[in-house]
Amino acid sequence: MFLPSDLKNQSAEEKANAERKKAYVRIEEWALGLIPESIRTGVQISVQEVVCGDPECAPIDTAVAVLFPRGGRGMMGLPMEAKDVQQNDLKESFPTQEVLMKWSRGEEADWPPDEDFEEDDDDNGQQRMPQLRFQIGQSVECRVGPDPVTGWARGVIDMLWYREPGWPANSWAPYKITLENGKSIFAPADLEHVIRATKP
């Protein structure tokens, strides 16, 4: 059957999006299974592909964020597209039980260890990052708990494309936010169920 080229492209894009979503679900299930059952309740796993601005790294990384009900959170990056991630890839990059326990208590813990980390002052990579929905200074609501209605806290965006020293090279969180209670957190993904505009 003959299809115009634009319809073929659209069909290919829809197929790629469906494959990507299926991979996200698969990675989320694997990640949840790696978290000890005693601290698994209420944990949110967010998976998102991010464009890497460094020409020496994979063009697309898969970022996996773990968010605990008490506010502890962390992120790891895998240097491949989501569809290419295997269970062993995730296991090798996943935090230790000690780190997961700290996050579950709302404590900070670096992952991965930053022994070999070198701060990169070159912002050129950020210039090629995807466009975000919110800007610095904008008031937002962040998901900080498991309840879909009450598990939100208001704050203001401090920084775009934030990273911490212990994170893998070229892994970024879209936003760093200061909440109304003074606590600083990061949003691991620019998704409506993670961060949204403040409701009037």
Side-chain angles (χ1 to χ4, degrees):
M1 180 178 176
F2 173 76
L3 286 175
S5 59
D6 57 340
L7 290 179
K8 287 181 181 178
N9 291 339
Q10 183 179 351
S11 176
E13 187 176 335
E14 288 174 353
K15 184 179 179 182
N17 285 336
E19 189 177 42
R20 188 180 301 112
K21 287 180 181 178
K22 194 182 296 184
Y24 285 178
V25 171
R26 183 170 63 244
I27 295 168
E28 287 170 5
E29 290 175 351
W30 289 341
L32 204 57
L34 291 171
I35 296 172
E37 194 172 348
S38 60
I39 58 173
R40 196 179 297 165
T41 302
V43 172
Q44 296 177 62
I45 306 293
S46 174
V47 180
Q48 187 176 31
E49 287 184 347
V50 294
V51 177
C52 176
D54 187 338
E56 294 186 4
C57 76
I60 295 178
D61 289 347
T62 298
V64 182
V66 182
L67 299 85
F68 283 89
R70 292 189 179 180
R73 57 184 65 197
M75 185 167 66
M76 66 223 73
L78 301 167
M80 62 193 79
E81 295 181 42
K83 66 182 177 62
D84 298 324
V85 174
Q86 301 297 315
Q87 195 165 9
N88 279 340
D89 298 324
L90 185 64
K91 279 183 180 179
E92 290 173 5
S93 301
F94 213 71
T96 62
Q97 288 206 12
E98 180 184 2
V99 169
L100 291 170
M101 292 301 291
K102 285 185 177 180
W103 288 349
S104 74
R105 295 191 294 265
E107 301 172 9
E108 292 186 9
D110 287 338
W111 186 260
D114 59 358
E115 297 168 0
D116 299 322
F117 178 79
E118 292 182 7
E119 188 64 46
D120 185 1
D121 294 327
D122 184 0
D123 291 334
N124 290 336
Q126 293 190 47
Q127 294 173 6
R128 291 186 290 273
M129 294 294 196
Q131 183 70 35
L132 297 176
R133 292 180 297 148
F134 307 115
Q135 298 301 318
I136 293 173
Q138 194 166 348
S139 180
V140 293
E141 293 180 350
C142 302
R143 186 73 176 269
V144 295
D147 191 287
V149 178
T150 62
W152 295 84
R154 291 191 176 197
V156 175
I157 293 175
D158 295 330
M159 188 184 300
L160 304 181
W161 295 117
Y162 167 75
R163 63 172 284 117
E164 293 185 352
W167 290 358
N170 304 303
S171 292
W172 306 83
Y175 305 104
K176 180 173 179 284
I177 308 104
T178 297
L179 301 180
E180 287 184 341
N181 64 8
K183 183 176 182 180
S184 288
I185 65 170
F186 66 83
D190 188 17
L191 299 173
E192 188 69 12
H193 69 270
V194 174
I195 183 169
R196 66 190 185 191
T198 301
K199 293 184 176 180

